[in-house]
Amino acid sequence: MRATNRKITCEDAMAVAPPENGTPPTPAQPRNGFDRFFEISARGSTLSREVRGGLATFFTMAYIVVLNPLILGGAVDGDDKSLPIPALAAATALVAGLMTILMGVVGRFPLALAAGLGVNALVAYEIAPEMTWADAMGLVVIEGLIIAVLVLTGLRTAVFRSVPTQMKSAIGVGIGLFLTIIGLVDAGFVRRLPDAANTTVPVGLGVGGKLVSWPLLVFVVGLLITLVLVARRVKGAILIGILASTVLAVIVEAIGNIGPSFVDGKPNPKGWALNVPELPKTVVDLPDLSLLGKFNVFDSWGRAGWVVVLMFIFTLLITDFFDTMGTMVAVGQEGGLLDEQGTPPRAKEILLVDSIAAAAGGAASTSSNTSYIESAAGVAEGARTGVANLVTGALFLLAMFLAPLVVIVPFEAASTALVVVGFLMMTAVRTIDWSDYEIAIPAFLTIVLMPFTYSISNGIGAGLITFVVVKLARGKAREIHPLLYGVAALFVLYFLRGPIESLVL
């Protein structure tokens, strides 16, 4: 996700430091048909690096198998019905595994997919209450199919290519900061203050401004271990950091019996954020796949009204469309896989698989599946091809049966990778010309609004709107790609959807 100024040699392609200017490694002769198909040698990688990268990506994403069911299962639809959590967990792992493997085979790009955070909350708390769960998931299917049509017609790829190269760099930097704050918040290192509404300081350090819990100690020790390994250019630094942190977490929990962050509905600030790192009593469990195919694409239009449905589809569409664009750029930039225009190889195939994943998520009742920025953790470990996806996808499929084992890794251990990858992605900030305000101002807004609004789409939207406005204000309309006018207009509608909904609904 970052750009640099040196070429990655076959020897140091495994280092966690990103390439200086996103220059791909010198191609090598493929060893066999598998190597040739996935371009392993051509991208300066090896099978061991791909496996290590796939493992790192999985461990940073595995939380979604637990978190997605909690978000969707904690809401009710318009008929006051909820979805079963065990079935949601199984479906989440199944779709993530299949779509990640499909991305590896078709896109041949180290980009894993799973149920999208933010989108799942939108489905659970805004869309489902207006209709049934089947209706809500049907809208997700419709949205995915629309994006697939946009890809097949070439429009989605054309929009991607119309974004200026330096703005793509800014997107990568912004996502790096976004990843960092996600890691810090998930680990509990940064927390919302209880009286945030009555103070100018919305967040603080640890518990009451202090690092007083054992889980936080695990995170800090794990982060320091990982940073030292990264600084020493140790192969597998991020993966080693996650595993070492998990082992430490299991030991700490066994001795201290700390428990989760909520006990009997009451907050336990010193508890583990999500997964309690305990050795499971059972390792294998049969998956419940009863939610597959439980969607309806027609009834929502009559029940909620066509205006409501169109607004929901538009919101889902904009979020998926541009989140993936930003993620694809960031991951490609991290691995030095972008061309001079900031476009990764097989961009159309990557976007098509992402579109199919959105529809597949709706068809399986897990909400829209999308590309995960946590894939950058795998790229930082050396992943450069779709082989890493085969590893990550296979582990997700195993997670359907090994769910008790997957949940051993707590947020406090996995989040160390997100913070380190955030640092690596920040290095691309040097590629932006900060003396040119026409690009610097939009880039700045893109970078800061992603972490501060917890949304990739918000950052991209604000940056592109500002880019168009600044160029027009300086009389340089001809320097704006025609498609960017339409994109900026759509983002204006996206940001104004609240007032628009209040007028038309």
Side-chain angles (χ1 to χ4, degrees):
M1 245 189 203
R2 301 62 16 252
T4 33
N5 277 322
R6 66 174 179 83
K7 287 189 177 181
I8 305 178
T9 65
C10 216
E11 179 67 23
D12 69 3
M14 193 52 217
V16 293
E20 288 296 322
N21 61 5
T23 305
T26 303
Q29 283 296 106
R31 299 180 180 87
N32 49 49
F34 184 82
D35 187 338
R36 184 178 299 106
F37 180 82
F38 285 104
E39 301 178 319
I40 300 173
S41 296
R43 296 185 186 180
S45 187
T46 65
L47 185 59
S48 63
R49 295 169 183 174
E50 296 300 316
V51 171
R52 191 160 60 239
L55 287 169
T57 296
F58 174 74
F59 281 120
T60 57
M61 286 179 61
Y63 68 85
I64 194 62
V65 178
V66 178
L67 187 56
N68 191 52
L70 293 180
I71 292 173
L72 293 175
V76 295
D77 64 9
D79 291 340
D80 204 31
K81 293 181 180 179
S82 59
L83 298 174
I85 288 181
L88 282 169
T92 297
L94 175 64
V95 178
L98 293 177
M99 292 301 104
T100 296
I101 291 173
L102 185 65
M103 178 66 79
V105 175
V106 177
R108 302 175 205 172
F109 194 70
L111 192 61
L113 302 97
L117 290 173
V119 176
N120 55 6
L122 173 67
V123 172
Y125 300 109
E126 292 188 39
I127 298 179
E130 299 292 331
M131 54 195 75
T132 67
W133 281 112
D135 296 338
M137 295 304 170
L139 296 188
V140 175
V141 172
I142 293 173
E143 173 256 334
L145 294 177
I146 292 174
I147 295 183
V149 171
L150 295 178
V151 174
L152 293 174
T153 58
L155 181 59
R156 195 178 188 189
T157 306
V159 169
F160 173 79
R161 294 181 185 276
S162 71
V163 178
T165 302
Q166 290 192 63
M167 284 297 293
K168 291 177 181 175
S169 295
I171 290 170
V173 175
I175 291 177
L177 286 177
F178 185 37
L179 268 183
T180 300
I181 195 170
I182 288 174
L184 294 175
V185 171
D186 284 352
F189 191 86
V190 172
R191 305 189 187 204
R192 182 183 294 108
L193 299 182
D195 59 346
N198 301 316
T199 178
T200 57
V201 182
V203 294
L205 175 69
V207 181
K210 301 177 182 178
L211 302 178
V212 294
S213 73
W214 287 108
L216 284 179
L217 176 65
V218 169
F219 170 74
V220 171
V221 171
L223 180 60
L224 290 175
I225 290 173
T226 308
L227 289 173
V228 169
L229 293 174
V230 167
R232 292 178 63 87
R233 303 297 176 91
V234 174
K235 294 180 179 180
I238 292 175
L239 182 57
I240 293 172
I242 294 173
L243 295 177
S245 303
T246 300
V247 171
L248 177 59
V250 171
I251 295 172
V252 167
E253 175 60 24
I255 296 174
N257 193 27
I258 297 162
S261 56
F262 278 86
V263 179
D264 297 328
K266 297 180 180 179
N268 173 25
K270 297 182 181 181
W272 300 99
L274 180 61
N275 298 335
V276 177
E278 298 175 313
L279 293 177
K281 296 179 181 178
T282 60
V283 175
V284 179
D285 197 7
L286 292 176
D288 177 0
L289 301 178
S290 60
L291 289 178
L292 301 187
K294 302 292 185 180
F295 68 97
N296 189 322
V297 298
F298 299 112
D299 290 354
S300 59
W301 301 84
R303 177 160 180 169
W306 67 272
V307 175
V308 173
V309 170
L310 286 178
M311 288 303 299
F312 283 148
I313 293 176
F314 175 74
T315 303
L316 289 169
L317 189 68
I318 290 293
T319 302
D320 266 353
F321 193 106
F322 289 97
D323 272 14
T324 297
M325 186 181 81
T327 301
M328 184 172 70
V329 169
V331 172
Q333 196 171 341
E334 170 70 20
L337 299 175
L338 305 182
D339 61 20
E340 294 180 355
Q341 286 72 45
T343 303
R346 301 179 66 83
K348 183 175 182 179
E349 288 84 354
I350 294 170
L351 294 172
L352 179 60
V353 173
D354 184 84
S355 307
I356 294 172
S365 298
T366 66
S367 90
S368 177
N369 274 233
T370 189
S371 303
Y372 259 58
I373 190 55
E374 281 87 346
S375 304
V379 173
E381 281 292 353
R384 296 293 182 271
T385 75
V387 176
N389 279 41
L390 304 184
V391 176
T392 303
L395 289 173
F396 267 119
L397 295 180
L398 283 175
M400 289 193 301
F401 303 91
L402 303 176
L405 194 60
V406 171
V407 298
I408 289 178
V409 182
F411 264 171
E412 290 80 1
S415 295
T416 58
L418 302 185
V419 176
V420 173
V421 172
F423 152 70
L424 295 176
M425 296 172 68
M426 268 293 297
T427 61
V429 74
R430 73 186 70 176
T431 66
I432 301 171
D433 184 1
W434 295 102
S435 65
D436 181 2
Y437 282 10
E438 292 177 15
I439 194 69
I441 292 174
F444 167 74
L445 290 176
T446 298
I447 291 170
V448 299
L449 287 181
M450 285 188 193
F452 291 157
T453 66
Y454 242 64
S455 168
I456 295 174
S457 291
N458 288 348
I460 294 175
L464 293 182
I465 290 173
T466 306
F467 177 81
V468 170
V469 170
V470 171
K471 284 288 187 181
L472 289 175
R474 300 202 65 182
K476 298 182 178 181
R478 293 184 178 180
E479 295 183 11
I480 303 172
H481 193 287
L483 280 176
L484 284 187
Y485 287 109
V487 172
L490 286 175
F491 267 117
V492 170
L493 292 176
Y494 172 75
F495 286 121
L496 294 178
R497 66 189 185 280
I500 292 173
E501 289 174 357
S502 64
L503 288 175
V504 301
L505 301 185

